[in-house]
Amino acid sequence: MKSNFSTFVVLLLSTFMLASCLKNNTDEITYYEDTAITSFSVGTLKRYVHTTTNGKDSVHQTKINCSTYKFNIDQNSREIFNPDSLPLGVDGSKVLVNLTTLNSGVVLINLKTKDGLKDSLVRYSSTDSIDFTKPLEFRVYNNAGNAYRSYQVKINIHQENGTLFKWTQVAENDQLVASMKGMRSLFSFGKLWLMGSDGTGSRLYVSEPKQPLSWKLVTEDVYAADAYKNFVLCMGTPMFISNGTMYQFTSNGDEYDCHTKEISTISTLLGGNEDNLYGYNSSGKLVRYDALTDFWNEELIDDKEEWLPTEDVNIISIPSKVNSLVNKLVMVGNRSKNTYPTDVDAVVWSKVEENEENSLYLPWAFYSKNPAIKYNLPRFSNLQVVRYGTNMLAFGGNVVNGTAKDISKFYKSEDEGITWQTDTIYQFPKGFSSNSSVFTMTCDADNYIWVLAGESGQVWKGRLNEMGWRKEQGAFEK
């Protein structure tokens, strides 16, 4: 970029002289006092991609079309930036920019002198590349030549690989976790909750998600040995059933209030969301709790009850992107290994849950035995499933009716539970050790996946890099 501010001055003087020459013409030239940058985009850029083949690192150059990345123009703070950062490895030192201005304003770029003490103004050109390794000041002058509006322009480029999953070991040998014979975990009220059994009774603990963990008994009460199996987060609070009583915990600062209800007609809680709670009644029927009527209603299903999961059940709620009162529910689990010892795959059911008044009531649909589905979820012992971003992740212990120990593998579903495949991104950390049937997984509000391992007492948390990136404001009004 070789043009400088004198070029701009000459341009303005020429304009004024031309207007003088035309003073006898009937045409009238209007000079506008206001202007602004109204659109901003970049084109095709160089990108350097790092790859590893057979243990050897290499970098190769490619090109990427970045014209689809939207740039926000905040006219109040006078900032221009892309909320969705360009991919890792994009070269920001040579960028071609396309922009438009209000009332044909003229744009100059303040590049500063090398010592940073003086302005060095050069005229913007769509054919000249610009170095955006640091934020730049763009000035758009009105065509009256008496004022300008300045913008700070920043091109965000990812500085880390978004598809890299990183693990951190929170505890190497947590004695409480190591002592458990069975456990389930969840996050609520900003705390990590753990309900576990020592083989004779279940207890409930809570801890700040810090390193190291410091467990605190929520209550001195001891519950049924298998009560932990139906420990769920629903309607914003932890709850479970033990010996015919439903327990629900609400936050009271650093303490918790326990609400109990006799509920002898319900045998197991399965999970739910902010709107509904699901479970099995004493007759083995799938039921839903209606908070308005304080009644459990039997659910509709489109197949035989024998295909409903009764062990290791996980209910994942996926909110609709277009209607806040609609959720997609996915129920994943296993059938009884005693009744159905030859099952190889887990069973998956789904339901569209409409919570609007007078909405259509839809049944649960069973689809895991569709012959067209090639990638079923194996029947893992102690199956664990969480929603992670737009996907679902699952893992478990020994494969029932198999010899492999797949506790080191995650299975990912990108289609809401229809198909499941292993994924190279989601791998357990080196050094991970756990009892093959005693472990638990949950996900917190910061998109960290937590895995608590029985026997070894290891506690790990991990997150996909892009799941930790800050979300910028998506749009600004002029």
Side-chain angles (χ1 to χ4, degrees):
M1 303 181 68
K2 299 180 180 179
S3 302
N4 53 35
F5 186 61
S6 60
T7 304
F8 175 62
V9 174
V10 171
L11 177 64
L12 288 180
L13 291 175
S14 299
T15 303
F16 297 143
M17 292 174 64
L18 179 61
S20 176
C21 293
L22 296 175
K23 64 182 179 179
N24 295 324
N25 198 298
T26 57
D27 293 336
E28 182 178 344
I29 297 177
T30 302
Y31 296 103
Y32 294 96
E33 298 289 336
D34 60 330
T35 191
I37 295 177
T38 55
S39 73
F40 190 99
S41 64
V42 299
T44 298
L45 304 178
K46 291 181 180 179
R47 185 187 183 193
Y48 297 94
V49 180
H50 176 273
T51 58
T52 302
T53 305
N54 297 325
K56 296 183 178 180
D57 294 336
S58 62
V59 177
H60 67 275
Q61 178 183 309
T62 185
K63 291 185 177 181
I64 179 172
N65 182 4
C66 296
S67 61
T68 58
Y69 284 81
K70 181 180 178 181
F71 279 77
N72 288 338
I73 303 175
D74 187 344
Q75 301 292 0
N76 293 321
S77 64
R78 300 185 182 184
E79 294 177 326
I80 300 175
F81 62 94
N82 51 316
D84 186 6
S85 298
L86 304 185
L88 177 70
V90 166
D91 185 358
S93 65
K94 296 180 180 179
V95 180
L96 294 179
V97 169
N98 294 302
L99 59 81
T100 58
T101 61
L102 180 67
N103 298 326
S104 302
V106 178
V107 177
L108 277 76
I109 307 171
N110 185 3
L111 296 182
K112 295 287 186 182
T113 56
K114 290 184 178 180
D115 57 14
L117 300 178
K118 297 181 180 179
D119 292 344
S120 178
L121 297 174
V122 297
R123 189 177 178 189
Y124 154 78
S125 171
S126 61
T127 59
D128 287 343
S129 62
I130 305 171
D131 185 354
F132 278 101
T133 53
K134 294 181 179 180
L136 295 177
E137 179 192 7
F138 276 50
R139 297 181 181 180
V140 52
Y141 287 79
N142 62 20
N143 54 31
N146 58 12
Y148 68 87
R149 176 187 288 256
S150 66
Y151 296 83
Q152 184 188 60
V153 183
K154 180 181 181 181
I155 294 184
N156 294 314
I157 301 174
H158 284 308
Q159 301 303 306
E160 62 178 5
N161 185 353
T163 61
L164 181 65
F165 194 94
K166 294 181 179 179
W167 287 101
T168 300
Q169 188 168 8
V170 178
E172 184 176 357
N173 183 20
D174 189 300
Q175 293 299 307
L176 177 65
V177 174
S179 68
M180 295 297 180
K181 307 301 180 184
M183 56 184 168
R184 286 180 72 95
S185 59
L186 54 84
F187 262 85
S188 180
F189 308 120
K191 305 288 197 304
L192 174 62
W193 293 64
L194 174 66
M195 190 170 190
S197 173
D198 61 5
T200 60
S202 295
R203 288 180 177 270
L204 186 60
Y205 302 87
V206 68
S207 176
E208 294 280 354
K210 297 179 179 179
Q211 187 174 354
L213 295 174
S214 179
W215 296 106
K216 174 185 176 182
L217 270 171
V218 177
T219 171
E220 295 290 339
D221 295 340
V222 179
Y223 307 99
D226 62 350
Y228 75 93
K229 293 182 179 180
N230 72 161
F231 182 49
V232 299
L233 178 65
C234 190
M235 300 180 181
T237 63
M239 56 180 65
F240 60 91
I241 288 178
S242 176
N243 296 324
T245 299
M246 184 167 74
Y247 297 83
Q248 181 178 7
F249 293 85
T250 56
S251 176
N252 181 22
D254 290 332
E255 302 298 326
Y256 303 95
D257 295 325
C258 179
H259 308 273
T260 61
K261 182 179 180 181
E262 296 301 316
I263 194 164
S264 58
T265 59
I266 305 301
S267 62
T268 305
L269 298 183
L270 301 176
N273 48 36
E274 293 292 333
D275 300 299
N276 293 291
L277 173 64
Y278 297 87
Y280 286 126
N281 64 18
S282 54
S283 299
K285 302 291 185 180
L286 180 61
V287 291
R288 175 181 59 89
Y289 178 66
D290 187 335
L292 294 177
T293 62
D294 193 25
F295 189 76
W296 291 82
N297 299 298
E298 186 175 337
E299 288 283 271
L300 300 175
I301 60 175
D302 74 348
D303 214 306
K304 297 179 181 179
E305 291 181 357
E306 64 187 48
W307 287 109
L308 289 170
T310 57
E311 299 177 351
D312 311 318
V313 182
N314 304 262
I315 290 184
I316 307 299
S317 181
I318 306 170
S320 168
K321 295 180 180 179
V322 296
N323 190 332
S324 61
L325 297 176
V326 175
N327 301 303
K328 173 71 173 292
L329 300 180
V330 181
M331 180 166 58
V332 187
N334 296 319
R335 299 200 294 176
S336 168
K337 57 180 173 289
N338 294 326
T339 308
Y340 304 99
T342 60
D343 278 5
V344 176
D345 301 321
V347 290
V348 182
W349 292 70
S350 70
K351 170 192 171 98
V352 176
E353 177 191 77
E354 297 186 358
N355 297 300
E356 295 178 289
E357 188 176 357
N358 300 321
S359 61
L360 183 65
Y361 193 74
L362 300 173
W364 286 86
F366 174 59
Y367 51 65
S368 66
K369 289 301 177 184
N370 188 329
I373 299 176
K374 297 181 180 180
Y375 302 102
N376 291 318
L377 180 64
R379 183 184 176 183
F380 292 121
S381 63
N382 193 26
L383 178 63
Q384 307 282 308
V385 186
V386 296
R387 176 172 170 247
Y388 198 61
T390 58
N391 303 318
M392 294 167 59
L393 295 178
F395 84 95
N398 295 343
V399 177
V400 179
N401 297 322
T403 58
K405 292 185 178 181
D406 282 347
I407 198 171
S408 62
K409 297 180 182 178
F410 280 100
Y411 280 72
K412 181 178 73 171
S413 176
E414 298 178 335
D415 50 17
E416 299 176 345
I418 298 175
T419 60
W420 301 80
Q421 297 188 66
T422 55
D423 192 285
T424 56
I425 293 176
Y426 301 100
Q427 299 288 332
F428 274 81
K430 293 182 179 179
F432 176 80
S433 175
S434 174
N435 182 287
S436 61
S437 60
V438 181
F439 46 83
T440 179
M441 174 174 66
T442 189
C443 187
D444 68 18
D446 294 321
N447 298 314
Y448 280 102
I449 291 176
W450 290 71
V451 178
L452 287 70
E455 193 173 289
S456 68
Q458 292 183 357
V459 179
W460 295 82
K461 71 173 185 178
R463 185 171 68 181
L464 195 66
N465 279 343
E466 64 181 19
M467 295 291 284
W469 291 341
R470 182 169 61 93
K471 303 297 181 183
E472 300 281 1
Q473 182 173 342
F476 295 93
E477 299 294 333
K478 291 183 181 180

